[in-house]
Amino acid sequence: MTTIADNPRTLQRFCPQGVEDVTQAIAEAHAAGRKLEIVGGGTKRSLGDPVTADALLDMSGVAGIDFYEPEELVIKVRAGTPIAEIRQALAEKKQHLAFEPPDYAAFFGNPHAIDTIGGIVACNLAGPRRIQAGAPRDAVLGVEAVNGRGEFFKGGGRTVKNVTGYDMPKLLTGSFGILAVLTSVTLKVLPIQPQEITLLASGLADGKAIDLLTQVLGMPFDVAAAAHQGGVRAGPSLTALRLEGFQGDVAARRAELESLIHRVSDVRAIADEESRTFWRSLRDLSAFAPDPGTCVWRVMLPATQAARVAHAVGGEAIYDWGGAEVFIRTAVDKIEAQARMLRAMADEAGGNACLFRASPEVRKRVSAFQPKPEALHDLGMRIRRMFDPKGILNPGKLGVASNGAL
Amino acid sequence: MKMAAGDQAIIGRRDALAAGFRDIVGREWVLDKEAELRPYECDGLTAYNALPLLVVLPETTQEVSLVLQFCQREGIKIVPRGSGTSLSGGALPLEDGIVLGTARMNRILHVDARNRTARVQPGVQNVRVTEAVKHLGLCYMPDPSSQAIATIGGNVSENSGGVHCLKYGVTSNHITGMEAVLLNGDIIHLGGDFLGGADREFDLTGAVIGSEGLLAIITEVTVRLVPQPATARVLSLGFRSVEDASLCVGAIIAHGVIPAGLEFMDRRIVDAVSSMLGEKHSPEVEALLLCELDGTRTEVDKLVEEVEAIAREIGVAELRISKTEEERAQIWLGRKSAFGAIGKISKDYYCTDGTIPRGKLPEILKRMEGLSKKHGLDYANCFHAGDGNLHPIIMFDAAKPGDLERAEAFGEDILKACVDLGGVLSGEHGVGVEKRDLMGYQFSNIDLAQQQRFKCAFDPDELLNPGKVFPTPCRCAEFGRMHVHNGKLRFPDVPRF
């Protein structure tokens, strides 16, 4: 197993145990101009552009469930809380984080690292159920955070309906720690459906498979996942649709969906633990174990464009979200040319391409994220300055060097 | 609530400014006569009004960009406006500012059935989106009560809700991208035209939604379309007490059922609606719950049975369940007529909009009863119980001196109680001017300062809808130097509007 964590040198490490420690650590860093890399369990240090920092701010000590009210469908947790701990607490009440947070620890080569809720929210990462239940951005109702000046602030609340002030929860979700350090998040949770079943079609060409997924998603089947494992691969492709609900209802939808799939392919079903294992593996990109000779792209675009763009790149592809999110594993040797072509195609399709996994050197050369138009980039810089005037939080994470810019 | 005095120097230049705007949008699309301006003097919060300096009605994104550049150059304030259905005064005009109306930007630009999105201009009425995609078996789920008139641009600005939020989420869960224009004229594109389009790093789509016109002018919106549910049925559940109805709300959710809609009406509303529609309810009924369940036929039938069993266990006094689409529409008609019905029994009414955690329903209803006595005004309740979003309707007589002020004080006390119980000041109407001066009750100085700094990144000149949402000016020029210490600003005596 090759680990590709950035910043291998041992940095000074701050380990706050509570909000006061966090505000103090950041206020001091702000005064001293000390740049901080923000980590929880460290599973996603290699996601994004390499960070240039003087010290680590390790948030794993700011952990625990502040409150959980199952009948209110709401939980408030501190940012460093392991996802596994949250999952377990929710499962006891037959509830879950519906956005299905992926666990990329092994994918990034750190199989023993622990995913935290702060990391998942900061990177806004969702699994296959995103098509039905949304992403973290749709589940985060409230945030508490410390900005780059060392000031503690809160935004949002604990209710689903809230338009009181700006939607800070959405702004911070997916901000990769460059605006503020999350100290707690309040999340909407949902009941776990009692039954799940997955219908699998084998050997469909990518274009045909996406057509099928698109057709199904436009009908009231209420599918809880729609994915396709295709691209250039050793075995036959696999197209998967998941249904969740109670028994009679799942059976009724399954019968109708099976007959629809039968028009284009043979179909088989897997249920319960077998189905759960299948989606866990797809969610965590288990098929793409780290390998220094390859890199992984994440392309987000209209599903109807996905097969065309993935084919132009070549390589093994995992299409999730009905095709709107595609992970492509390719050889790293022609990365610059590939990046140019893929980003142009993604842009033309109205989407974007992120170099999701590659060595720090490669990400430095190619940059992890799709470049933004100038006006949007400048706006981003201005916003960053309003939260973190000296650019001490995760400098470089979203590209641009370590001079306090993004 | 006071608005800042208008800048006489700007008001004195009205004719020259009108000529400048006419050069951009054309002669007839700048309104400057009093009779033309009068219809724009207020939005749905009719207690406050002001005549705008001018009304400017652009047709294209390019025109919006030029209008904003002109405003920045001349220092003119801008109040964006859709149909003016806002209930919080978000579109209240300023005497020294223009109203920038989106009425001419009213086209559905593109429907992408396969990717289940539609790109629409901000002036498109909410209901038109679903009408345009119905034949594809799709719909646009957010459905504020004003959906026949309210525009998508306004919905996005206020992050509008509606009946279906509990299960399907609010506006921000249904927008994948947008085009917007910054004050300096920059046209920016956020998110994309596909599911997950807004999921990128540093996503600003979600932050612009619900920003009440303070950050940018929205010129295009991409909405997510979802398949129309195969079937829907509604239960009308009459309870002998408000407590029983509240108990039923909690029990349904705790049971793992997420209704498509869960609405509460108290006896006053029920009576008002009865007198209008002739719909009779048992005299025992003190509170009515409407619970809509949607999905596949099998699923809905099963859920109806479950909800019925829960309601019977609590001791439901009156039970009606729709078996046909007509019956469902009939049951909903009562809820949809509620606000109109109140107009028949009270000369004037004031409706506000706080949110509380669901479990605090009995407590907030008890507090409202006490506040009603304190302020000497009657009230009624009709709200989205499923997501704890309250719309207390305070009845008063505007002709009676002091009545409006008492109604506002009553509303303010209710909103403070919402915050005290762990809720928020606004669920779906926005802060606007109505709740502006209460922001400090929910947020600390630092919370507000951080939000105001965020605005400065978009609008350093503070020309976009100033005087709304925040109780004090942003003073962007000073933010670089201002320091907050222990939650206290160094200048606590900043000017109030």
Side-chain angles (χ1 to χ4, degrees):
Chain A
M1 191 65 81
T2 318
T3 171
I4 50 166
D6 301 349
N7 237 339
R9 67 198 171 93
T10 309
L11 293 172
Q12 185 184 7
R13 186 183 281 258
F14 293 92
C15 301
Q17 298 302 298
V19 172
E20 279 186 16
D21 294 353
V22 179
T23 54
Q24 191 182 338
I26 296 177
E28 285 172 7
H30 173 68
R34 186 188 304 122
K35 297 184 188 315
L36 300 171
E37 183 181 358
I38 322 300
V39 296
T43 55
K44 289 179 275 291
R45 286 181 73 187
S46 315
L47 176 54
D49 283 294
V51 171
T52 311
D54 307 308
L56 282 178
L57 185 67
D58 177 344
M59 293 293 292
S60 58
V62 186
I65 297 172
D66 280 350
F67 66 73
Y68 170 35
E69 296 177 12
E71 66 288 352
E72 297 281 347
L73 305 175
V74 67
I75 188 167
K76 182 181 179 188
V77 287
R78 289 174 215 158
T81 313
I83 294 276
E85 193 181 313
I86 299 168
R87 261 201 197 105
Q88 192 183 338
L90 296 175
E92 283 169 14
K93 299 290 180 185
K94 296 191 179 141
Q95 293 183 339
H96 63 170
L97 296 171
F99 60 84
E100 222 173 349
D103 180 349
Y104 290 140
F107 171 78
F108 281 115
N110 312 302
H112 303 298
I114 291 170
D115 248 327
T116 62
I117 190 68
I120 283 287
V121 169
C123 302
N124 190 31
L125 294 167
R129 205 183 289 100
R130 197 250 176 270
I131 55 166
Q132 183 195 48
R137 71 189 292 277
D138 301 295
V140 180
L141 304 174
V143 288
E144 289 174 351
V146 179
N147 65 18
R149 303 162 179 248
E151 294 163 343
F152 172 83
F153 69 98
K154 62 181 185 301
R158 48 164 297 175
T159 56
V160 170
K161 270 188 171 168
N162 178 5
V163 55
T164 319
Y166 297 127
D167 196 337
M168 288 287 153
K170 281 208 172 52
L171 179 69
L172 294 188
T173 303
S175 66
F176 283 79
I178 68 155
L179 300 179
V181 177
L182 291 166
T183 56
S184 82
V185 289
T186 304
L187 296 151
K188 177 173 124 177
V189 297
L190 282 170
I192 295 176
Q193 297 297 330
Q195 207 199 6
E196 78 170 67
I197 194 156
T198 297
L199 298 178
L200 296 168
S202 178
L204 284 176
D206 292 6
K208 280 259 186 303
I210 302 298
D211 283 348
L212 173 69
L213 299 181
T214 299
Q215 184 189 358
V216 172
L217 287 170
M219 298 165 80
F221 283 112
D222 200 17
V223 292
H228 174 72
Q229 297 171 327
V232 181
R233 56 177 52 240
S237 74
L238 200 59
T239 314
L241 286 152
R242 178 172 63 183
L243 296 172
E244 293 176 336
F246 63 87
Q247 211 163 349
D249 168 47
V250 169
R253 283 184 289 154
R254 172 191 172 169
E256 215 174 319
L257 191 51
E258 269 180 336
S259 67
L260 195 145
I261 301 171
H262 258 304
R263 294 181 204 164
V264 291
S265 161
D266 288 333
V267 57
R268 67 189 174 92
I270 53 174
D272 306 326
E273 193 48 42
E274 197 181 354
S275 172
R276 279 191 286 275
T277 305
F278 173 86
W279 289 105
R280 201 162 34 237
S281 158
L282 189 130
R283 179 195 78 189
D284 299 343
L285 302 172
S286 305
F288 291 166
D291 162 9
T294 66
C295 62
V296 175
W297 288 95
R298 180 199 198 200
V299 189
M300 294 160 82
L301 74 178
T304 48
Q305 309 280 332
R308 185 178 61 86
V309 172
H311 278 218
V313 180
E316 195 176 339
I318 297 174
Y319 300 80
D320 200 353
W321 304 355
E325 180 188 48
V326 195
F327 295 95
I328 309 167
R329 181 169 61 175
T330 68
V332 78
D333 52 359
K334 294 194 183 69
I335 190 77
E336 273 98 346
Q338 193 179 81
R340 270 196 303 277
M341 177 198 70
L342 180 54
R343 287 198 162 133
M345 286 184 84
D347 195 41
E348 197 187 349
N352 64 87
C354 164
L355 183 54
F356 204 63
R357 188 184 70 198
S359 69
E361 296 70 40
V362 170
R363 279 178 288 126
K364 255 190 198 127
R365 287 208 318 268
V366 176
S367 87
F369 298 106
Q370 179 111 359
K372 290 186 167 67
E374 191 182 356
L376 192 53
H377 177 268
D378 291 352
L379 175 64
M381 298 278 267
R382 291 198 298 273
I383 292 170
R384 174 146 166 75
R385 275 199 297 275
M386 291 294 171
F387 281 80
D388 179 15
K390 290 189 180 173
I392 61 166
L393 304 177
N394 269 356
K397 189 76 168 172
L398 297 190
V400 191
S402 57
N403 58 357
L406 295 176
Chain B
M1 201 286 302
K2 267 197 6 250
M3 296 302 284
D7 180 338
Q8 291 305 322
I10 292 204
I11 293 169
R13 295 173 52 217
R14 180 197 308 266
D15 292 349
L17 293 168
F21 287 117
R22 286 192 165 113
D23 286 345
I24 300 168
V25 299
R27 166 155 294 279
E28 61 191 304
W29 304 116
V30 177
L31 313 181
D32 57 357
K33 296 183 179 61
E34 186 180 340
E36 294 173 321
L37 299 175
R38 192 56 67 189
Y40 293 87
E41 69 177 354
C42 68
D43 57 15
L45 186 72
T46 51
Y48 297 98
N49 57 61
L51 274 190
L53 180 73
L54 300 162
V55 173
V56 180
L57 301 164
E59 189 183 24
T60 64
T61 301
Q62 202 52 44
E63 285 180 4
V64 171
S65 171
L66 292 169
V67 166
L68 292 190
Q69 285 176 53
F70 183 77
C71 286
Q72 187 178 39
R73 202 167 53 237
E74 302 291 337
I76 311 295
K77 297 169 183 141
I78 303 120
V79 177
R81 177 188 165 111
S83 292
T85 55
S86 166
L87 292 163
S88 57
L92 174 69
L94 304 170
E95 289 167 357
D96 57 350
I98 63 163
V99 162
L100 194 149
T102 57
R104 294 174 67 217
M105 302 179 80
N106 60 358
R107 286 180 305 136
I108 294 175
L109 299 168
H110 181 62
V111 173
D112 182 345
R114 296 180 71 214
N115 291 301
R116 300 176 308 286
T117 59
R119 204 147 40 83
V120 307
Q121 290 186 308
V124 170
Q125 281 82 11
N126 171 296
V127 76
R128 277 184 53 208
V129 181
T130 290
E131 282 168 1
V133 299
K134 223 178 189 146
H135 67 287
L136 301 165
L138 300 169
C139 66
Y140 176 60
M141 207 39 102
D143 59 341
S145 301
S146 54
Q147 68 185 134
I149 314 162
T151 62
I152 293 291
N155 290 178
V156 168
S157 299
E158 302 293 344
N159 194 12
S160 303
V163 166
H164 285 121
C165 298
L166 177 62
K167 180 172 176 180
Y168 292 99
V170 291
T171 296
S172 62
N173 307 118
H174 295 265
I175 305 297
T176 67
M178 63 174 74
E179 176 190 79
V181 185
L182 302 179
L183 184 68
N184 63 6
D186 279 351
I187 297 166
I188 56 171
H189 292 90
L190 305 173
D193 298 353
F194 55 96
L195 183 141
D199 287 15
R200 289 183 68 175
E201 72 286 351
F202 211 9
D203 149 45
L204 298 179
T205 310
V208 171
I209 297 169
S211 63
E212 305 200 31
L214 271 71
L215 299 181
I217 301 293
I218 296 157
T219 48
E220 277 182 25
V221 178
T222 303
V223 304
R224 184 167 69 92
L225 304 170
V226 296
Q228 286 165 9
T231 188
R233 294 177 69 190
V234 62
L235 296 93
S236 169
L237 309 162
F239 290 95
R240 291 181 184 84
S241 70
V242 162
E243 287 73 22
D244 280 358
S246 305
L247 207 61
C248 189
V249 170
I252 290 169
I253 309 279
H255 194 78
V257 177
I258 310 287
L262 189 54
E263 297 290 305
F264 175 106
M265 293 152 76
D266 69 9
R267 184 75 217 190
R268 291 184 192 89
I269 300 275
V270 169
D271 284 343
V273 171
S274 294
S275 75
M276 196 163 93
L277 301 178
E279 196 181 55
K280 291 279 174 286
H281 286 278
S282 154
E284 280 186 294
V285 171
E286 278 303 313
L288 198 66
L289 277 188
L290 299 186
C291 175
E292 176 149 303
L293 301 156
D294 69 3
T296 60
R297 170 60 67 180
T298 326
E299 180 185 19
V300 171
D301 290 349
K302 180 175 184 294
L303 292 176
V304 165
E305 279 172 28
E306 284 183 21
V307 171
E308 183 181 352
I310 291 166
R312 286 197 189 283
E313 201 167 311
I314 289 167
V316 65
E318 180 191 276
L319 178 72
R320 294 172 191 171
I321 305 174
S322 74
K323 291 189 185 60
T324 63
E325 229 1 65
E326 291 70 34
E327 286 176 12
R328 184 174 81 93
Q330 188 56 43
I331 290 176
W332 273 113
L333 187 62
R335 167 64 179 90
K336 296 203 165 164
S337 315
F339 285 74
I342 286 291
K344 287 178 71 92
I345 59 168
S346 174
K347 280 195 164 151
D348 297 285
Y349 68 85
Y350 169 54
C351 165
T352 188
D353 152 62
T355 308
I356 47 148
R358 249 185 314 272
K360 304 286 186 189
L361 266 179
E363 174 64 20
I364 192 82
L365 295 174
K366 201 160 67 198
R367 290 193 190 194
M368 273 187 216
E369 197 56 46
L371 290 170
S372 168
K373 290 189 179 75
K374 173 185 161 186
H375 292 282
L377 289 173
D378 211 355
Y379 72 102
N381 259 316
C382 171
F383 56 77
H384 312 296
D387 43 36
N389 183 204
L390 306 167
H391 293 310
I393 298 163
I394 297 162
M395 304 178 211
F396 70 101
D397 181 354
K400 272 193 199 163
D403 238 28
L404 169 64
E405 289 73 18
R406 280 193 298 153
E408 287 186 329
F410 185 179
E412 191 172 304
D413 281 349
I414 293 173
L415 294 180
K416 284 179 172 173
C418 288
V419 174
D420 293 343
L421 293 172
V424 295
L425 298 169
S426 176
E428 57 186 5
H429 296 175
V431 175
V433 294
E434 181 205 17
K435 310 175 189 87
R436 183 190 75 183
D437 296 345
L438 289 174
M439 283 290 270
Y441 196 80
Q442 183 177 326
F443 292 110
S444 74
N445 280 343
I446 297 183
D447 299 339
L448 290 175
Q450 185 57 74
Q451 292 193 37
Q452 293 190 282
R453 283 186 208 132
F454 178 60
K455 174 178 164 68
C456 293
F458 285 81
D459 176 22
D461 302 344
E462 288 190 72
L463 294 174
L464 280 168
N465 222 0
K468 316 287 171 71
V469 181
F470 298 109
T472 59
C474 292
R475 304 185 315 157
C476 298
E478 291 178 26
F479 260 138
R481 303 192 298 274
M482 204 148 72
H483 186 65
V484 178
H485 183 66
N486 292 337
K488 293 190 173 54
L489 286 168
R490 268 185 48 210
F491 314 103
D493 54 341
V494 287
R496 297 261 155 186
F497 286 115

